[in-house]
Structures are given as structure tokens and as C-alpha cells.
Amino acid sequence: MTVKELRETVKSLLTEGKVDLVIGWGKGTMPGTSTPVFIDTAEKADSLIFDSTCRNNLSVYFTKDRRALAKDDKKIGVLVKGCDSRSLVLNITEKQIDREKVTIIGVPCNGVVDMKKVVGKVDGKEILEFTDDSKKVTVKGREFELTFPLDEVISDSCLTCVRRDAVEYDLFIGEAREPGSDENAYAEVEEFEKLDSEERWERMKQEYSACIRCYACRNVCPSCYCNVCFVDQNDPQWIGKSPEITDTMIFHIIRNLHVAGRCVECGACERACPMDIKLLLLNRKVAKEVRDRFGSITGTGLENKPAMADFKEDENQDFIMG
Amino acid sequence: MIRIEKERIDEFIRALMETWSVYAPARDGKNTLFAPVEDPAGIDHGIFNTDKSPKEIFFPHSEVLFEFEGGEIKKVERDARPIAVWGLRGCDARSLRLLDKVFGSAWQKPDNDMFEDPYWKEKYDDSIIFGTACNEPRSTCFCNWFGAGPHDGAGMDVKVVDTGEAFILDPVSEKGKKYIGSLKGWAEATKKDVTKMKAAAKEADKAMGEVFGMDGIQEKMADLFLKPVWNDIGAKCVNCGACAFICSTCHCFDVQDEGKKGKKGKRIRIWDTCMFPIFTMEASGHNPRDMSKDRLRQRFMHKFSYFINNYDEHLCTGCGRCVIVCPVNLDIREVVREVMACEA
Ligand code: SF4
Ligand code: SF4
Ligand code: SF4
Ligand code: SF4
């Protein structure tokens, strides 16, 4: 796929009247960043890009108070990586999005860059220029220039991802690759499981203690779309508002369970966190449970209901306390 | 002006710690912030703008106002020593001064009757601010849009300039002059130091991006209030609290009681933000800022319109933190540009 192909495809969709609006990525204001763009004219399509900086999961723009977008008569197109497409599938199976009204445009993903990893590579120095291709990344700063393999700086979620290309699409720019196997996708979770419960708790506490309760993780998540989130209720108030570890953990654990069988492991939450909290581990732990107990991988097929919304007579029930 | 050779900086801080409760840039796990200094060796003098803003020194994320039990109210004791802040950047020093207009005495005029917040005043009024001049501003810095610059001393009591081998302490305020005057055992800055300081200031100025003119922005913002431009600007915002919580000037808060309702517990003041729907949710269930774009607009209205009307300054000092943390790269500088480019 070239950027030109991408732009031309979007332009023709718009001029042929197949869509009224396309949600995609454009160049960001800092090196190594992109920003969501809303393209409603053919001219604007020239601002579209797709590369390893396109880390936002754009499916979020079909949820929360943007839900209306996909409900009124507008025909909307959206660019998706593999994980983003799974979010759309989840929202479609949960009847939040009408499949007919979205034009899903797949783009080939090689993993998105985690800028915190890049900054780590240059000892925290400021990066003034960032360039990438499908295999490597080059960064420049005041007195340095460094090139390294893309795989060394992609997000953790991309390291374990076996569905880099859209699982559901109307058109794909380039050629979609077949998904890999989920068999060994949870190595880091297995490591975590080896710790005893006290060690696990300590590790979680340590990780989450920096949380400032900004809810960026929740707000970028396409699976988190309750009309009123439990943390935003005050009558009754379910949870204390101070950033103290007890309340913070309650927030994270409940959110974790609310997205059980619904999290697509896109890692958007983790990348959004201003405090660099590793949120994915707990999500992936739950995703692994869902895979092992219900044989379900979230958002991989329109015909599959989300695990928690489905019931099969022969399904594993040994976790129910009797 | 005195000079402190770098090898002796810990000695200087240690002396400061005898009378003051000192806060300085430090690393806490993956993030940087202003932390109480226990050992001067733990200060990271090389940190640029800390990830978390220093507003929390004077306006903590969660602050106990008082404790209660039965009908009794108990004041919470805090460290009685005055606060000294070491290593504050110019933008942050000015941010504190803006917050002092809201909570403290900086905006007291004979003809107004502004509320003064005792919790802020007991910390800020007696504090001393050692600010660090920025020799290498970052591409996200835009303090120069607000009439300041990387070597500006506004809001500081003492400006500290790093010349490579030494820190030069240049008193700015009366308080700063008094403190520096009271010190013994430190050499005066030399002519060479002064030359170096001037050169560093010049270099730093050169490294700043171009100033974007913001004249008349408050009226412009007010005129645009109902205009569709906010649909465009607000479209990508996901309405989290990252920008406001990380911001050194955002200061909205909520007050809550924790503990056993009405019986025993504490009343706390906690950061809140106009980005959260519950911030303006009314008891009837109606929310005047119902859509995320309404809430995003509020953040910028406050910074570039209401605050100017009320306090004669922008509620932003160009620290660039929100630019860095926003998960969708909604860059405040772009917002200003878009607003200024708009025909009302
Ligand atoms: S919880 Fe995180 S990883 Fe899971 S779907 Fe939401 S944003 Fe993606
Ligand atoms: S984004 Fe990070 S800091 Fe914000 S609430 Fe989520 S975990 Fe906490
Ligand atoms: S609005 Fe952004 S740049 Fe301005 S003071 Fe706040 S965090 Fe800094
Ligand atoms: S501007 Fe960015 S950081 Fe601020 S609320 Fe919107 S998405 Fe979050």
C-alpha cells in the first residue's frame, strides 16, 4: 500500500458518493505522532497518512456521544488496522453500530510505534525528527541520529498480535494477510500467572499507583461505552475519587471485568496513558481466560456473540461457585 | 548573584532543608514530578519539564480540608515549615502565580472582595521559588506566546542559571534578594559567569519557535461560541482528563466527604475537570455541557476568554504538557491558530 493509493481510494469513495465521511489518520504535530482526521471532501483526503505512528483505534469514534455518527443517515467510512476492525466487529455484534452504514477500509499494519520505547532508546533525549518504513525507524535529535528495527519499538500489543490485518472489511488497500495462531499468544500472561497471589497483587499495586485517574484509558477504548460510567455516578457513588491505591484499583479491576470478553487487546488504553501504566497485562489475562474457557476470541467474526453475552449448554462452568 | 559550583549543590540544598520543606524534580518509577527532598542526591537536575506539573505541591490532587467526628471538626496538621521549590521552570513559576490570582492574594484589589483560600495561602504565601532557566527549550514549549521566554524570571524569587560548571543564583523578588543576601560562604558570580548567562539566554531564545500573535483572542473566542468551528476542533477529542490533570494551570476541583456519611470522616478537595460529564451534571439530570465538544470548548473558553476577562491573563503558560499527553494529539497551539484564523 502506498499513501497515494490510500488517498485515491478515499477520494473515489467520496466522489462516487459511497461515503459522506471517512475517519482516518493525518500527520501529528510532534515527531512520531499522528492525529485522527475527519475527511468529508476529496481535497481533504490529501492529508491522510498511514504508517507506524497511526496508533489510535478510530473505532472509538462510533461510540459514546459519537454513536449518532453511525446512526443517522450519514454513510461513514473508517480506516482500520487489525485490532481496530475487531473493535468494530465487537460494536456491531453488540448492536451499537449498523454494519450496513459503515464502510470498513482495511490498511496493512506492521505494528504501531510506542514512542515511550523510542524515547527510551535515546535516553530520554528529545526527538526532533521521526521517519519509518515497514521495517525500521530513524530518529534524529540535537546531536544524534539513530536507526533501529521497527519491531524493537512497536507497542507490546503489537508484539503479540496475530491479526494485523482487518478481520472484517469492505475493501482492503493492498493485500490482507491471513491471521496467525492464538495458541502461544499469551507468554507474558503465563509468566505472570507463575507468581503467587501476593506477588501479583504487589506488582499490580506498584504499576497502578502512578494512576492520576484521568480516564484517558477508558475514553479511548471502543469497548467502554456505557452511557454513564460507574465512576461518573454520584448517587449512589460507587467509588472514591482520590487517586488512592484502593479506589484506583477498584476502578481498574471493575473496568477490566466490564470489558471481559469484550477487550480486543488493541492496546489503545496503554498508549493513551499519560503515566505510562502497563494496563494490557490484566486485560490480556482476562482475554486468555475467555479464550481458554469459552473458546472465544473477541471481535473476530460477526457471527460470534461476545462470550459474556452468549450461553452454550456445554460451556465450561466450573468457575461458578456452588 | 552568587555562584554554586556543581559539586557543592547538595551542600546548598542541605542548608535550605534546615528551614524549608524542599521540593525538587525527581523520578518516581516511570514518571518525573516534584517530590519532597529527603536526600539532595536524589534530585535530578537534568530533568526538563516534569511529567506531572508542580501545581500539586500547593494544590494537591486530593487535599484533606478537615476531619470530622460527631459534630466536631478537626483541622489537619501539616508540615509547619515553609515550602521551597527548587528547579521550577519559568512556565511553571508563572503558572503558580496565575493560581495565586485564583486562590491567593495576587488579585486582591481594594474594590473587590475575592475569596482567599486558606489552604493555598498557608503553603504559597511563605514559599520561596528557585526557578531554573531553560537552556534547551523543547519543540513543545511556547512560553514566548505569552510574553515570557526560556530565561524569564517572572514568578520566581531566585532565578537559577546552569552555566555548565556552576549554578548562578540570580535573585528576582524582594524575598529572593533577602534570602541570597543572608547567605554566607558562597562566592559572587564572576564577570565570566555573567557573560555565559547572557550567551545561554540568547541561545535559548533562538531555539524557541516563532511567536504566534494572540491579540484579541478573548473576544474572538466569545464570538465563536456558537459557531460550527467547535465541531471541527472538538471532533477528535475523546474527553479524557489527561490534559487538565497534567496542566500546570487547570485548577477546577470537587469537594467530597469520605468516610461514614455525616458521622466520621474527612472532607477532601480533589481535582476535577470540565472534560468530565459529571462536572456540570445538574440534579435534574440535565447537563448543560452534554456533548464532548461542548466540554472541550469550555476548556479553551476558560483559558483564552473567561480567565482573561477575570484576571487579565491567559490561563496557559505554554509548558507544552498537554501537547505531549493528549492521546489524540489535539494540540492547544493548533486550537489557538484555528480560532484566530476564523472569521467571526
Ligand atoms: S481495554 Fe484497552 S486493549 Fe482492550 S479494547 Fe479497550 S482500549 Fe483496547
Ligand atoms: S490513562 Fe493512565 S493515568 Fe489515566 S486513568 Fe487510565 S491508567 Fe490512570
Ligand atoms: S494548557 Fe497545556 S501548555 Fe498551557 S499551561 Fe496547561 S498543560 Fe501547559
Ligand atoms: S484534548 Fe486530548 S487530553 Fe484533553 S480531553 Fe481531549 S483527548 Fe483528552
Side-chain angles (χ1 to χ4, degrees), chain A residues 212, chain B residues 51-56 59 92 95 98-99 241-251 271 299 303 315-323 325 332:
Chain A
I212 57 171
Chain B
D51 296 327
K52 287 181 88 183
S53 95
K55 73 178 172 193
E56 61 182 348
F59 173 53
D92 291 342
S95 295
L98 290 176
L99 296 182
C243 52
F245 281 5
I246 218 81
C247 175
S248 56
T249 59
C250 277
H251 55 268
W271 293 355
R299 182 161 190 268
K303 292 201 174 294
L315 184 62
C316 172
T317 58
C319 73
R321 284 189 181 83
C322 58
V323 178
V325 301
I332 187 168

Side-chain angles (χ1 to χ4, degrees), chain A residues 211-217 251-252 272-275 277 279:
Chain A
C211 175
I212 57 171
R213 302 279 292 278
C214 69
Y215 306 133
C217 49
F251 162 57
H252 286 289
C273 177
M275 306 311 289
I277 296 170
L279 295 162

